[in-house]
Amino acid sequence: MTETLTQLNETSQTPKLMLGKEVAASIEAELSAEIQATGLRPGLAVVLVGDDPASQIYVSHKQKACERVGFYSEKILLPQDATQQQLLDVLAGLNEKPEIHGILVQMPLPAQIDSEAVLEAIRPDKDVDGFHPVNGGHLLSGHPRLTPCTPSGIIKMLDYYGYDLKGKNAVVIGRSNIVGKPMALLMLQRHASVSILHSRTADLGLYTREADVIVVAVGVRNVLTGEMVKPGAVVIDVGMNRLEGKKVVGDVDFESVAPKCSLITPVPGGVGPMTIAMLLNNTLQACKALNA
Ligand code: NAP
């Protein structure tokens, strides 16, 4: 994969790779500069229930990112058999804690806990994941406040690479509340015409072949292949599929799709780093709003 990416960058002008790692580093630098200039100390609390190894890794990445930019962070660990009430009590405390401006509950939660009830128990103005229905409503009404990190990171990345969504035909494959739906709304906000596809869509290619920009957030390898993409398209691959031996691949068949694209994200190193950068960004925005 690395060899392929290097070759693409060295031997041709197109496709250009959108490197989230690079964009995320520039966002982190801006955040550090802003907190140094303002003296603000944004605080993020990450709550982890149980000992799922993948969740532990995600939480530690988030804490390390806080350290890099100079944010305050807290990690709250609850056992796998914690009750819903225990978790709600923790959230009630964090909702009132002045040093904490952002609260995140690492998903998935154990089966005995109702995730929806938990998301709704976080104060909307500290909901830095942007999953609270109040924040979803603000986004739907065209006045976004705290928005989900992965789709807002994709918008930032498109801005960084100078891609204007206005008037474009956009397709989002996947309709989850954390990626697909908010992605579609954010692109609509930027004046794209958006189609949302999902597992019951009869013919994905019918839509993707007409698309100027395609976001794929499915969790199925090779769901988008070269013959489904028009020349010059912009393709963003959100998918993360772990193969045996721990290698991670996206949802896009990079080998056949990349040669047709003007811009494309690799996996890894594309969308992934943007999610954490936007979590930090949301935490600073929440801190500023709470201190206003
Ligand atoms: P999700 O909740 O499982 O949603 C998947 C969506 O894909 C659903 O809307 C589903 O349709 C649709 N779908 C499934 N199979 C399909 C098919 N064959 N053709 C068309 N649509 C299909 O997943 P998610 O949370 O949105 O995440 C999607 C992927 O992105 C996963 O691989 C996840 O690991 C990754 N992800 C990456 C990041 C990052 O930071 N890089 C962040 C979040 C997620 P239905 O609604 O009809 O079931």
Side-chain angles (χ1 to χ4, degrees):
M1 172 74 149
T2 316
E3 234 179 78
T4 315
L5 300 187
T6 313
Q7 280 162 7
L8 283 170
N9 271 337
E10 283 176 357
T11 60
S12 88
Q13 290 298 309
T14 54
K16 186 167 185 203
L17 294 172
M18 291 185 280
L19 300 172
K21 215 173 161 183
E22 194 179 300
V23 190
S26 87
I27 292 171
E28 286 193 10
E30 282 171 23
L31 295 174
S32 289
E34 187 167 348
I35 66 164
Q36 272 167 29
T38 57
L40 289 169
R41 178 112 163 110
L44 175 70
V46 183
V47 184
L48 176 61
V49 184
D51 45 19
D52 174 56
S55 293
Q56 283 177 335
I57 292 171
Y58 293 140
V59 166
S60 90
H61 284 166
K62 289 165 187 172
Q63 285 212 294
K64 280 186 188 141
C66 282
E67 278 168 31
R68 280 200 301 275
V69 292
F71 286 12
Y72 169 70
S73 77
E74 270 183 32
K75 179 165 77 174
I76 296 100
L77 297 174
L78 291 176
Q80 182 72 23
D81 60 356
T83 64
Q84 178 156 323
Q85 194 54 50
Q86 277 176 298
L87 178 52
L88 294 178
D89 290 345
V90 166
L91 295 176
L94 294 170
N95 278 342
E96 298 311 317
K97 198 165 181 176
E99 308 91 303
I100 294 298
H101 310 98
I103 303 169
L104 177 156
V105 178
Q106 186 65 43
M107 298 288 165
L109 289 167
Q112 74 275 13
I113 297 179
D114 173 359
S115 304
E116 286 302 312
V118 167
L119 294 179
E120 288 183 32
I122 297 172
R123 261 173 71 158
D125 54 0
K126 292 191 176 186
D127 166 41
V128 284
D129 257 340
F131 296 159
H132 194 289
V134 164
N135 284 318
H138 287 305
L139 177 57
L140 189 66
S141 68
H143 304 285
R145 292 189 185 174
L146 292 168
T147 52
C149 301
T150 302
S152 53
I154 290 169
I155 297 286
K156 276 263 185 201
M157 191 155 58
L158 290 171
D159 286 346
Y160 183 90
Y161 286 97
Y163 186 77
D164 185 3
L165 284 161
K166 191 172 168 183
K168 299 296 196 307
N169 281 343
V171 162
V172 180
I173 314 182
R175 57 174 165 179
S176 71
N177 288 336
I178 63 168
V179 190
K181 282 186 212 160
M183 184 75 251
L185 289 167
L186 287 169
M187 295 208 292
L188 193 61
Q189 186 85 7
R190 293 295 187 93
H191 310 297
S193 303
V194 189
S195 302
I196 306 175
L197 317 185
H198 46 78
S199 68
R200 320 291 162 85
T201 302
D203 182 357
L204 299 178
L206 197 67
Y207 298 83
T208 58
R209 275 190 287 273
E210 296 297 318
D212 301 307
V213 50
I214 307 169
V215 178
V216 193
V218 172
V220 174
R221 206 180 162 195
N222 296 340
V223 80
L224 189 78
T225 53
E227 77 278 4
M228 297 166 74
V229 177
K230 77 173 181 183
V234 172
V235 171
I236 295 137
D237 191 352
V238 183
M240 290 195 309
N241 306 296
R242 201 166 285 280
L243 304 182
E244 278 175 40
K246 296 207 169 173
K247 189 180 175 209
V248 173
V249 297
D251 290 346
V252 171
D253 176 27
F254 191 88
E255 299 298 322
S256 67
V257 172
K260 298 185 83 174
C261 294
S262 55
L263 287 167
I264 188 167
T265 56
V267 176
V271 172
M274 293 304 298
T275 301
I276 291 188
M278 296 313 288
L279 174 67
L280 298 173
N281 188 57
N282 276 354
T283 305
L284 177 59
Q285 299 319 316
C287 174
K288 288 202 279 194
L290 287 159
N291 282 292

